[in-house]
Amino acid sequence: MQWSFEWEDQFLLFLQEQVRRPWLDQVMGGITRLGDGGILAIFTCLLLLRIPSLRQTGKLAALSLVMDFALVNVLLKNLVGRVRPYAYGAVEGLLPIARLPVDTSFPSGHTGASFAVASVLFLCFPKRVGVPAMALAALIGFSRLYVGVHYPTDVLAGMTVGIATGCLAVWLGRRREKSPGQEA
């Protein structure tokens, strides 16, 4: 499916023509690679699971990440089938500057995975941890626009799904803790 809002096309071209700089291309390329294959999100979950005092938060982050993956990569990407902005001349003149993904565009998997874990950190840890986690997730989402592989609504949808799964995982975890006769 090939569709976009005109403002999205214009925004991507604005980034390409007015914001991109060689040094920033390197920075944004590095930031976008943090989300490749959910590597940073998975690493964060594994790290939390290895530390006994943080294991419960690790379980919630992993649950959020699994739910996000199911919704974004299994359900929505296949259901919507939106082509990438650089494919088939969807945004004429757009030149991506990252590895070209082969899956569909909507929603952004990098953004969803990043926010799925970051939102759990935001809800479970002090703000000195949660706020930078959310800021990094936002940077990963923005990097997907900067490098030209997603539309803004792809990133917004990924962010929304990621935050929703994070909130749901934490809610389920807290509900389970309050249930009588349940192990934590």
Side-chain angles (χ1 to χ4, degrees), residues 66-137:
V66 168
M67 290 188 297
D68 177 80
F69 178 81
L71 287 170
V72 169
N73 296 83
V74 176
L75 180 66
L76 292 172
K77 280 187 178 280
N78 291 309
L79 187 64
V80 176
R82 186 183 203 186
V83 300
R84 300 277 178 169
Y86 57 80
Y88 310 111
V91 178
E92 192 172 324
L94 183 66
L95 302 172
I97 57 170
R99 181 183 56 81
L100 302 181
V102 295
D103 62 348
T104 57
S105 190
F106 184 91
S108 168
H110 282 64
T111 307
S114 300
F115 274 100
V117 173
S119 60
V120 171
L121 300 181
F122 183 81
L123 294 168
C124 295
F125 286 141
K127 299 305 175 224
R128 70 179 184 275
V129 174
V131 170
M134 293 295 275
L136 181 56

Side-chain angles (χ1 to χ4, degrees), residues 10-64:
Q10 291 173 352
F11 183 73
L12 293 175
L13 291 172
F14 169 79
L15 289 176
Q16 175 177 288
E17 296 163 8
Q18 303 297 322
V19 179
R20 284 184 185 171
R21 302 284 181 271
W23 68 270
L24 194 52
D25 293 355
Q26 294 297 314
V27 170
M28 286 295 158
I31 291 170
T32 210
R33 283 189 297 277
L34 290 174
D36 287 355
I39 190 70
L40 181 61
I42 292 168
F43 175 78
T44 302
C45 291
L46 293 174
L47 179 65
L48 293 170
L49 289 167
R50 294 272 306 153
I51 302 170
S53 63
L54 304 177
R55 191 164 290 139
Q56 184 58 27
T57 302
K59 289 177 184 178
L60 299 177
L63 174 61
S64 177

